Amino acid sequence: MFHNIELKWLYDAVMLEELRSFTLAAERRNISQSSFSRRIQALENAVGFEIVNRNSNPLKLSLQGRDFIIYVRNLLGDIEHQIGKIQGGEISKYRINIAAAHSLSISLLPELISGFSESQDKVFNIESINVDEAVNNLKNGKSDFILSFFNEELMTSPFLHHNVLDARLYLVSGCNADGKPLYRLENAPLPLMKYTDESYMGRQVNQLLEKDFRDRFTYFCLSSMSELLKRMVLDGHGVGWLPDYLIREELKEQKLCSLEPGQTAIKMGVFIYRTYARLNPSSERFWQYMRKRWTAI
């Protein structure tokens, strides 16, 4: 039955996944909505399953559709790449799509990808978004990989994971000219630069606050952005939990001091996740590179 599938239908499906609207996707593909709908229906008939759930609002991919779109996107990319090679002109590059948590994309991801230089047929497409959004991107086939923290749902099929490193959140204070902390834990309550409750780090900090540090802090600033909280702590406005990979230099230069790390440190696993679906050749090489080069000890 697969010999009846037309290439344009595959481009239609990718456009529909990107825009989540039959109307907008039809406009982008420069055909009428009725013709576009018939082409998607023809593709679904050919593969034997629904690609989208038409009863959802906004439009969502079906479970089978999620895996299918990943295959289709990589198939089309491979076709365009190979034709470029045959023509002898400029060769299109495989895109390695990575969604990363904000703090990881700024502080860690550049280091992780810098050593991957074995092939020039690639371009990294990186999106910095919150953790929950990154997980949804992976589920819906919008990303090849996500770099994020421990997520129980992504630890089992149809996802693969690799533990890149074990990071820690440290409660830190700015330092005075002598390298001594501006704030000390025994002088509670302390002004806290706090992550929002909806953020991953906010949830981790909240657990520790409820368990061991109830009523020991007053909230001074709330944000999901580690860089902003770090700036506020450096400027002497209070204390905050910050990830170790974000404050290495500041700790070394005694611009920041860790407060009672034995009591306040929070362990966080950093993982790279993907689906079982076959990715384009550059993305597959990148996965193997990450597994060999970066492994938590």
Side-chain angles (χ1 to χ4, degrees):
M1 62 178 175
F2 295 115
H3 67 277
N4 292 322
I5 294 178
E6 297 187 27
L7 194 62
K8 62 186 177 184
W9 298 351
L10 301 181
Y11 281 104
D12 291 341
V14 171
M15 187 63 67
L16 182 59
E17 185 275 328
E18 289 179 359
L19 299 179
R20 301 302 172 99
S21 165
F22 277 88
T23 302
L24 295 177
E27 290 178 0
R28 191 71 64 85
R29 295 288 290 154
N30 200 28
I31 61 174
S32 68
Q33 183 176 338
S34 58
S35 296
F36 184 84
S37 297
R38 284 195 296 271
R39 279 161 43 165
I40 294 296
Q41 184 66 64
L43 178 59
E44 290 176 324
N45 291 338
V47 298
F49 53 80
E50 287 189 346
I51 296 171
V52 293
N53 180 358
R54 291 167 174 77
N55 295 323
S56 63
N57 187 18
L59 204 68
K60 292 182 180 179
L61 295 174
S62 67
L63 291 177
Q64 293 166 307
R66 292 176 182 174
D67 289 338
F68 180 70
I69 287 297
I70 296 173
Y71 281 115
V72 168
R73 184 180 289 110
N74 287 309
L75 172 64
L76 294 176
D78 195 38
I79 290 173
E80 293 169 0
H81 180 86
Q82 297 302 332
I83 289 176
K85 287 177 64 176
I86 294 170
Q87 290 175 336
E90 182 178 350
I91 298 174
S92 62
K93 294 187 176 184
Y94 291 113
R95 299 183 72 178
I96 302 176
N97 298 302
I98 305 174
H102 287 293
S103 66
L104 296 175
S105 65
I106 295 171
S107 305
L108 192 60
L109 189 55
E111 181 181 358
L112 294 180
I113 69 176
S114 63
F116 183 63
S117 57
E118 63 179 73
S119 174
Q120 299 302 313
D121 62 347
K122 66 184 185 304
V123 57
F124 286 104
N125 181 46
I126 298 169
E127 188 173 8
S128 177
I129 52 181
N130 67 48
V131 174
D132 293 336
E133 201 175 349
V135 171
N136 285 331
N137 274 13
L138 186 65
K139 290 180 182 177
N140 292 317
K142 291 185 176 181
S143 301
D144 298 321
F145 306 100
I146 67 171
L147 183 68
S148 186
F149 306 103
F150 175 83
N151 185 291
E152 186 173 0
E153 186 178 0
L154 299 182
M155 290 291 169
T156 57
S157 179
F159 306 105
L160 297 172
H161 66 274
H162 175 65
N163 189 187
V164 175
L165 62 86
D166 287 326
R168 281 173 171 77
L169 282 171
Y170 287 115
L171 179 64
V172 295
S173 164
C175 300
N176 60 26
D178 297 325
K180 304 297 183 182
L182 298 175
Y183 299 89
R184 296 183 181 276
L185 201 56
E186 58 266 25
N187 297 331
L190 300 179
L192 179 64
M193 311 301 119
K194 187 178 181 299
Y195 292 100
T196 56
D197 293 339
E198 298 78 19
S199 66
Y200 174 84
M201 292 186 186
R203 293 193 289 266
Q204 307 311 303
V205 171
N206 284 345
Q207 290 180 22
L208 186 62
L209 289 176
E210 286 295 318
K211 180 184 176 184
D212 298 325
F213 297 100
R214 189 186 298 271
D215 301 324
R216 300 288 297 277
F217 300 95
T218 58
Y219 300 158
F220 182 86
C221 175
L222 296 174
S223 177
S224 62
M225 296 182 290
S226 297
E227 284 283 354
L228 173 59
L229 299 183
K230 172 184 169 181
R231 184 72 262 166
M232 298 294 287
V233 174
L234 282 169
D235 288 346
H237 294 294
V239 301
W241 270 271
L242 295 172
D244 53 4
Y245 52 79
L246 187 64
I247 56 175
R248 292 169 184 160
E249 292 304 315
E250 289 79 7
L251 289 173
K252 187 185 302 182
E253 297 170 3
Q254 294 187 317
K255 294 180 180 179
L256 292 175
C257 300
S258 179
L259 304 180
E260 302 294 340
Q263 301 177 45
T264 63
I266 302 172
K267 185 177 179 179
M268 304 184 302
V270 178
F271 293 82
I272 186 168
Y273 300 96
R274 58 168 290 184
T275 67
Y276 274 106
R278 181 76 180 174
L279 303 175
N280 67 57
S282 287
S283 294
E284 289 292 345
R285 286 196 295 271
F286 179 68
W287 172 250
Q288 295 303 323
Y289 163 78
M290 290 297 292
R291 292 183 64 192
K292 292 177 181 178
R293 174 65 179 83
W294 297 96
T295 301
I297 299 176

